[in-house]
Amino acid sequence: MKDLFDRIEEYKETKIIELSVSYLEIYNEKIRDLLNTNTNYSNNLDLTNIPSLELREDENKRITVRNLSTHIPNSVEDVMDMIVIGNRNRTVSPTEANATSSRSHAVLQINVVQRSRTADLKEEHTFATLSIIDLAGSERASATKNRGVRLYEGANINKSLLSLGNCINALCDPRRRGHIPYRDSKLTRLLKFSLGGNCKTVMIVCVSPSSQHYDETLNTLKYANRAKEIKTKVV
């Protein structure tokens, strides 16, 4: 963020650059705005009460979230404050595997729109998005000893991670003949252009040297290694 604000300052004489931030979580296949104080249902585990935002596709084929609040930061500190507020509103609960286990996937998006200060009849806009995604951990029910609501959450986490894995496998197919199942989950629909669009993608995975977590570590490394095989064409 510091680098981004420095670059904006550098170009301010010739470019108008607009910055906006949004932060959401996908909990049990429902999308929640983490920066909207009116819908702050932090750690509310009553599944029926969680307001869900809808995914929409605009005329440019971009995936957007209807009614998601966007915020305009003026400094690096503003962005960091928003992240702290959003993290506080995330759905977390203890399991046998983790005392503060995140029960949702979180997506932080920083949108940058750049245009020239010299007005023209056909004004060109350059648009880019930095998406930072924190995926909830894939958990075996036997390891976490989850029951009831926790078990339901874990099933939804694993379902969306499986959908993501299926999309990665389809994108890695050298012939690229098969259908890419982005619509199988809200997570994959939201990440459509982070996986197969004009983008650079980095995946950071959490592994453990402990023999207790051998299966999870092996599966995670296979998952991330597969993602490296995705080849995108810049259009």
Side-chain angles (χ1 to χ4, degrees):
M1 289 313 303
K2 185 179 183 307
D3 194 49
L4 182 58
F5 276 102
D6 288 347
R7 195 69 64 87
I8 290 169
E9 188 65 26
E10 191 182 317
Y11 286 114
K12 71 177 183 181
E13 300 298 324
T14 56
K15 305 279 186 188
I16 296 169
I17 300 171
E18 294 164 1
L19 204 65
S20 63
V21 174
S22 63
Y23 198 14
L24 62 86
E25 74 170 354
I26 303 171
Y27 173 69
N28 286 339
E29 285 298 291
K30 294 188 177 191
I31 297 174
R32 289 177 58 224
D33 188 346
L34 292 175
L35 294 178
N36 187 347
T37 50
N38 296 329
T39 56
N40 182 357
Y41 282 79
S42 179
N43 298 330
N44 181 352
L45 299 173
D46 180 1
L47 304 176
T48 57
N49 277 346
I50 294 174
S52 180
L53 304 176
E54 294 302 317
L55 283 172
R56 294 282 184 267
E57 200 165 309
D58 65 15
E59 67 276 8
N60 299 320
K61 299 288 184 192
R62 275 182 46 231
I63 302 295
T64 57
V65 181
R66 191 161 161 257
N67 296 333
L68 179 67
S69 65
T70 55
H71 303 259
I72 298 167
N74 296 311
S75 65
V76 179
E77 289 70 29
D78 286 356
V79 179
M80 294 306 155
D81 289 344
M82 288 176 199
I83 293 170
V84 169
I85 291 165
N87 286 347
R88 205 180 294 142
N89 291 336
R90 268 189 84 179
T91 309
V92 295
S93 60
T95 69
E96 284 289 317
N98 187 350
T100 54
S101 174
S102 56
R103 313 306 295 156
S104 65
H105 308 295
V107 181
L108 174 74
Q109 290 192 316
I110 295 123
N111 301 302
V112 184
V113 180
Q114 177 181 289
R115 61 182 191 273
S116 177
R117 280 194 179 276
T118 53
D120 194 5
L121 289 172
K122 288 183 181 176
E123 194 175 39
E124 281 194 354
H125 288 58
T126 308
F127 184 91
T129 300
L130 169 65
S131 297
I132 301 171
I133 300 115
D134 177 27
L135 298 173
S138 176
E139 298 173 325
R140 290 177 302 156
S142 58
T144 55
K145 296 186 171 55
N146 286 344
R147 298 291 179 270
V149 174
R150 292 294 87 71
L151 188 64
Y152 181 72
E153 289 168 350
N156 274 304
I157 289 167
N158 288 340
K159 178 189 165 192
S160 53
L161 290 174
L162 178 64
S163 300
L164 180 57
N166 289 339
C167 286
I168 289 170
N169 287 340
L171 286 163
C172 291
D173 181 3
R175 295 179 298 278
R176 193 72 69 85
R177 287 186 307 193
H179 163 69
I180 298 163
Y182 289 121
R183 288 182 173 267
D184 280 5
S185 77
K186 289 191 176 169
L187 176 69
T188 47
R189 274 197 77 190
L190 204 57
L191 300 189
K192 181 177 179 179
F193 295 104
S194 297
L195 290 168
N198 288 352
C199 64
K200 288 184 178 179
T201 305
V202 176
M203 185 181 280
I204 300 168
V205 296
C206 180
V207 296
S208 167
S210 164
S211 58
Q212 275 182 302
H213 301 292
Y214 176 83
D215 289 343
E216 285 93 338
T217 292
L218 182 62
N219 287 335
T220 302
L221 288 172
K222 281 180 180 173
Y223 196 96
N225 193 53
R226 192 84 177 124
K228 289 198 302 184
E229 301 300 315
I230 298 175
K231 300 282 186 286
T232 54
K233 289 195 184 108
V234 177
V235 180

